[in-house]
Amino acid sequence: MLKRLLLIGFFLMISLFALVSCTNKPSLELVEVSAQFVTDKSISGQTGIMDGEKVIKYVTPTVISYTFTVKNNGIQNVGDGEKPVRFKLEPSEQLRLMLQVTSGADAFEKLNGGYTAVPEIRPDETVKYSAFYELGTTEDLGAYQQVPLLTSKEQLEQLNKRRFDAALIITAGDEEIARFDLHTAAFGWTQELQQKMEKELGTKMVVPLWEGYQVKFAAIQHPPVVNNQQVGNRRVATIVYTDQRGPLIDLNPEQKRQLESKQRRTVFYGEFEGKPLIRMEISNERGSLMEARVQKIDGVEVEFQIKEVESGKFGIYSFNLERSSYFITFRIDESFTQEDVVEFIRRIITASHEK
């Protein structure tokens, strides 16, 4: 009996230790990330071009400027004076190669710019980190090209598209405590996620990435089942965008069961908090919009309606491509105009031709 009690006490102690270990583990969240190419001496300063020991000119370099907002969701401080919180960026191989092509160097190999970091994050505290990495200059300095000469504008634009192709690694002292994919944090969308949904949908689809917007929800609606038999083969992928993605909305087991069985829906991403601003439905079957006007965008007939209600102005757009149909509802205002709607749809049409 005593032996049994000792064994129970031992296992309870192990369980308690495991619980405390999990509780003590840092719980950091990457709330927001921004990255932009800037040529601004108030951010990067200036570089003196030397002729011997004499400065003959000052050049403002073009830099990639990153800002990260990180929140401590745990119950203990993260980092301290002895083990301060620090971060570094680990670029993807594609971004590294693009940097070599554009500026002739890997800006991430060393911190050749500025860096700010808070050494300690208290529980429920949100802090900002920032860094910039010097790329070079578009100014041809001839024999005095002491700052890398950047190549064509087109290559800079391609590099700009890949600026989030990196991982943010956060450390406390020498220990890595968190790692975040910047692309997912910036847009809420990855190629891996897209491939999984395309496989389930049974056709290719295009999910445009829009600056300042993040995907907050992604799911696929399956055909209905009547008398234990599937009716038809229509599947619909739903993608919802927001401009301020919040925390993940936790669902209890019963809610998840309702989604998966009764609603015949598979959730691939989210749902996260945030006002829905763009709702896109992509189907493997053709669709249409009743009582709609028609406009052509890059040769594709797009049906649309504009509705103004108490909560705002909305545009509803529907069009068919070779293998799929799109039904998109946009919230239209000063920050996302009807011109933006056309550009959003144009990106879908253009990308669909490339698939």
Side-chain angles (χ1 to χ4, degrees):
M1 184 69 174
L2 179 61
K3 186 176 180 181
R4 186 178 179 185
L5 288 172
L6 286 172
L7 283 171
I8 292 172
F10 173 75
F11 286 119
L12 283 173
M13 185 171 66
I14 292 295
S15 299
L16 182 62
F17 177 77
L19 179 62
V20 171
S21 298
C22 290
T23 304
N24 289 341
K25 188 178 180 180
S27 179
L28 298 180
E29 175 190 358
L30 181 56
V31 177
E32 188 177 1
V33 56
S34 66
Q36 55 183 336
F37 282 49
V38 293
T39 308
D40 185 342
K41 66 179 181 181
S42 68
I43 295 176
S44 64
Q46 291 187 301
T47 300
I49 304 301
M50 308 296 293
D51 184 2
E53 297 183 356
K54 181 182 177 183
V55 177
I56 59 173
K57 185 180 181 67
Y58 286 97
V59 172
T60 303
T62 297
V63 302
I64 309 179
S65 178
Y66 288 93
T67 302
F68 313 102
T69 303
V70 178
K71 184 179 180 181
N72 179 5
N73 291 317
I75 61 173
Q76 293 190 344
N77 289 0
V78 176
D80 54 34
E82 293 184 2
K83 296 181 177 180
V85 174
R86 292 289 183 263
F87 72 87
K88 66 177 181 178
L89 287 177
E90 186 178 89
S92 68
E93 191 60 30
Q94 292 89 343
L95 177 56
R96 197 183 296 276
L97 289 173
M98 186 65 71
L99 284 165
Q100 293 282 357
V101 170
T102 306
S103 65
D106 183 351
F108 293 92
E109 279 187 354
K110 60 179 181 177
L111 191 63
N112 60 350
Y115 180 99
T116 62
V118 178
E120 180 180 2
I121 314 176
R122 296 182 177 85
D124 204 37
E125 182 181 27
T126 300
V127 299
K128 280 194 175 184
Y129 296 98
S130 64
F132 67 82
Y133 298 87
E134 186 175 311
L135 298 175
T137 179
T138 55
E139 188 175 351
D140 189 344
L141 300 171
Y144 296 97
Q145 198 70 52
Q146 296 160 17
V147 178
L149 177 63
L150 297 177
T151 54
S152 68
K153 182 180 177 182
E154 289 74 19
Q155 286 181 324
L156 280 175
E157 288 175 353
Q158 289 300 315
L159 180 59
N160 186 45
K161 290 178 181 179
R162 288 198 172 273
R163 68 193 187 281
F164 290 115
D165 289 1
L168 171 66
I169 301 170
I170 300 179
T171 59
D174 296 328
E175 180 187 2
E176 180 180 319
I177 58 174
R179 180 184 287 255
F180 301 100
D181 177 71
L182 295 191
H183 194 279
T184 303
F187 299 109
W189 195 252
T190 64
Q191 281 300 112
E192 181 184 8
L193 178 59
Q194 174 143 345
Q195 289 167 4
K196 287 180 179 179
M197 292 191 69
E198 286 180 339
K199 184 177 180 181
E200 194 81 10
L201 186 63
T203 188
K204 297 290 186 181
M205 63 183 195
V206 178
V207 180
L209 301 181
W210 194 266
E211 194 73 29
Y213 279 53
Q214 309 91 37
V215 173
K216 60 165 276 182
F217 179 71
I220 286 185
Q221 181 78 50
H222 300 280
V225 171
V226 178
N227 296 327
N228 295 322
Q229 287 193 340
Q230 178 177 300
V231 179
N233 193 41
R234 187 173 187 268
R235 290 172 169 81
V236 180
T238 301
I239 313 293
V240 182
Y241 296 75
T242 185
D243 62 349
Q244 291 186 340
R245 189 180 57 205
L248 179 66
I249 300 171
D250 289 326
L251 298 178
N252 60 43
E254 176 59 23
Q255 290 171 320
K256 290 180 180 178
R257 190 185 69 81
Q258 291 276 351
L259 279 173
E260 293 175 0
S261 61
K262 291 193 174 182
Q263 296 187 26
R264 299 276 296 157
R265 187 189 299 265
T266 301
V267 177
F268 287 82
Y269 185 76
E271 184 171 3
F272 291 85
E273 292 182 4
K275 183 184 293 184
L277 300 177
I278 302 174
R279 179 185 177 87
M280 180 165 65
E281 295 182 358
I282 309 166
S283 175
N284 61 336
E285 295 186 356
R286 296 181 71 81
S288 63
L289 184 62
M290 300 296 291
E291 299 180 359
R293 289 180 283 171
V294 177
Q295 69 177 114
K296 276 199 172 183
I297 300 177
D298 283 5
V300 175
E301 287 194 350
V302 178
E303 300 172 329
F304 72 99
Q305 297 175 353
I306 302 297
K307 294 184 177 293
E308 294 196 38
V309 294
E310 188 175 341
S311 57
K313 182 178 179 181
F314 295 87
I316 305 168
Y317 290 75
S318 174
F319 56 96
N320 294 294
L321 299 178
E322 185 179 353
R323 300 176 184 175
S324 56
S325 64
Y326 289 76
F327 185 91
I328 314 174
T329 302
F330 299 92
R331 184 184 179 91
I332 300 173
D333 55 24
E334 292 179 356
S335 62
F336 195 94
T337 65
Q338 285 182 248
E339 287 76 17
D340 292 325
V341 168
V342 171
E343 175 58 26
F344 188 97
I345 294 173
R346 181 175 285 117
R347 291 186 188 182
I348 295 174
I349 295 170
T350 301
S352 70
H353 294 326
E354 298 171 355
K355 282 186 172 283

